[in-house]
Amino acid sequence: MKNILVTGGLGYIGSHTVVELYNKGYNPIVLDDKSNSEKSVIDSLKKLTKEDLIVLDVDIKNINSLRENLTKINIDGVIHFAAYKSVGESVNNPLKYYSNNITGIINILMIMQDLNINNFIFSSSCTVYGETNQVPIGEFHPVVEAMSPYGNTKQIGEEIIKDLVSSTDFKAYSLRYFNPIGAHGSGVIGELAYGVPNHLVPYLTQVANGTRGGLNVFGNDYNTIDGTCIRDYIHVVDLAKAHIYALDKLLISKEGRIYDVYNLGTGKGTSVLELISAFEKVNKIKIPYNIVERRSGDVEQAFADVTKANKELNWFAKLSIEDALKSAWKWQSYYDKKQKYK
Ligand code: WQD
């Protein structure tokens, strides 16, 4: 059984990836300082995987603690999620983002070199393509000036890996996610939203549970089918599975040096109004909404060309928007119930 370290393994995409690693016969080892998570995720993960799941409470910025913890284990590969991810917060507090996200990737790569671990998967983002109107977006699309410090940390992260691979035998892929939504089918893990959610689906589920009065739809005067923005919403379970396909390919490769990037999305665009209507239909809950001003920084349309991941990783997104919205609501309901009886 191969040991795979998952940094940020208690986070949204990380936790779902831990489950899929386990389902595919890998032994996931979680490293997470719970800075954007909570202990209950460990309990849920243990239920979905195994009781003796290893969870290392380590701040990735602390290289000594990283080294101390990781030298004790034989690790075959690393999937690196641990990073801050709020675009708005990164604009207001850039140093927090550069410090955590850049120090984090450098530290984990340095320890990997020391311990001779050569397989690395990086959690990147479609944000590296910046503001573009060229859809679908393929990997050949230029990586342009980042729109936020957060986006810049993803670009810099990719550059660091590329430079490392040019200098030594090391194998890595950067996976560029489009818009992950939904939750595990069990409803016991999902996207935790502290405070007012920025993303559309966590906001929707908080309107559905009555926490928020209504959804603000940011603009309906875009040049799209119904005037609202188009995004490529991908079920988090499909996204998590893509990591396993990528890892399988890296681990069997005999080449010494590999670096490549893959878009992960469905290849299909959905408008904000279409998403609201799908949520209402599948969960039988009415969502009150208002059309408000455009949100600054939003692009009209962004959806992926996923041909490369389909062909080279043999991975396909299989779950629907409806599956995702049903599971998102199941997760929100589970979480609300748990908070009530706490
Ligand atoms: C989706 C759509 C909003 C909230 C972000 C990051 C990006 C990448 C993916 C990680 C947009 C609209 C939203 C609301 C709304 N992440 N909306 N009302 O902005 O596409 O992308 O996640 O790397 O870097 O920026 O996602 O969920 O915020 O918005 O109308 O209350 O929903 O305008 O069209 P976004 P989102």
Side-chain angles (χ1 to χ4, degrees), residues 87-98:
V87 175
E89 188 189 32
S90 80
V91 174
N92 295 325
N93 199 347
L95 295 183
K96 177 174 172 184
Y97 275 68
Y98 287 116

Side-chain angles (χ1 to χ4, degrees), residues 181-197:
I181 60 166
H184 189 259
S186 64
V188 304
I189 52 171
E191 184 169 11
L192 284 169
Y194 297 114
V196 184

Side-chain angles (χ1 to χ4, degrees), residues 87 125-127 150 177-180 198-201 203 215-218 229 231 233 272 295 298:
V87 175
S125 165
C126 65
T127 190
Y150 159 75
Y177 316 146
F178 280 68
N179 290 58
N198 293 311
H199 291 316
L200 180 58
V201 171
Y203 203 105
L215 176 79
N216 288 325
V217 173
F218 299 135
C229 289
R231 294 289 181 274
Y233 297 98
V272 177
R295 182 172 70 177
D298 268 343

Side-chain angles (χ1 to χ4, degrees), residues 13-182:
I13 305 169
S15 58
H16 290 81
T17 303
V18 167
V19 175
E20 296 309 323
L21 279 167
Y22 177 78
N23 289 344
K24 278 294 213 69
Y26 287 104
N27 181 35
I29 295 162
V30 174
L31 186 142
D32 199 301
D33 66 354
K34 297 203 231 38
S35 56
N36 194 24
S37 187
E38 48 193 59
K39 198 195 151 286
S40 63
V41 180
I42 302 179
D43 304 330
S44 296
L45 273 184
K46 286 187 172 176
K47 279 190 201 114
L48 293 172
T49 62
K50 51 181 188 162
E51 263 316 305
D52 59 351
L53 176 76
I54 299 176
V55 180
L56 307 168
D57 186 354
V58 175
D59 176 352
I60 198 147
K61 291 197 294 305
N62 185 340
I63 195 159
N64 293 331
S65 168
L66 258 187
R67 183 175 290 110
E68 196 186 312
N69 279 276
L70 299 187
T71 33
K72 295 179 200 151
I73 322 166
N74 260 328
I75 297 168
D76 298 283
V78 175
I79 307 183
H80 178 54
F81 294 101
Y84 295 145
K85 60 169 186 180
S86 162
V87 175
E89 188 189 32
S90 80
V91 174
N92 295 325
N93 199 347
L95 295 183
K96 177 174 172 184
Y97 275 68
Y98 287 116
S99 158
N100 191 55
N101 296 7
I102 304 301
T103 310
I105 189 168
I106 293 175
N107 282 354
I108 192 71
L109 291 172
M110 293 215 289
I111 299 292
M112 287 177 74
Q113 285 229 282
D114 287 354
L115 302 178
N116 207 14
I117 308 166
N118 293 323
N119 298 291
F120 187 68
I121 303 233
F122 179 51
S123 165
S124 189
S125 165
C126 65
T127 190
V128 300
Y129 299 117
E131 221 167 305
T132 176
N133 282 317
Q134 263 178 279
V135 281
I137 305 170
E139 290 85 352
F140 52 80
H141 190 286
V143 168
V144 295
E145 195 185 339
M147 283 158 64
S148 69
Y150 159 75
N152 205 18
T153 66
K154 292 298 171 190
Q155 293 190 358
I156 296 169
E158 290 194 2
E159 293 294 323
I160 291 172
I161 306 165
K162 212 167 28 171
D163 287 345
L164 180 63
V165 173
S166 310
S167 77
T168 185
D169 280 3
F170 194 76
K171 301 189 285 177
Y173 294 142
S174 290
L175 304 183
R176 296 172 174 169
Y177 316 146
F178 280 68
N179 290 58
I181 60 166

Side-chain angles (χ1 to χ4, degrees), residues 278-312:
F279 184 93
E280 292 185 325
K281 203 164 152 207
V282 80
N283 295 313
K284 301 188 177 51
I285 300 172
K286 195 92 197 115
I287 299 292
Y289 68 85
N290 297 306
I291 307 290
V292 298
E293 289 287 288
R294 290 181 175 199
R295 182 172 70 177
S296 92
D298 268 343
V299 292
E300 185 167 280
Q301 302 198 36
F303 56 93
D305 179 341
V306 281
T307 320
K308 189 173 170 192
N310 292 163
K311 274 200 189 138
E312 296 182 16

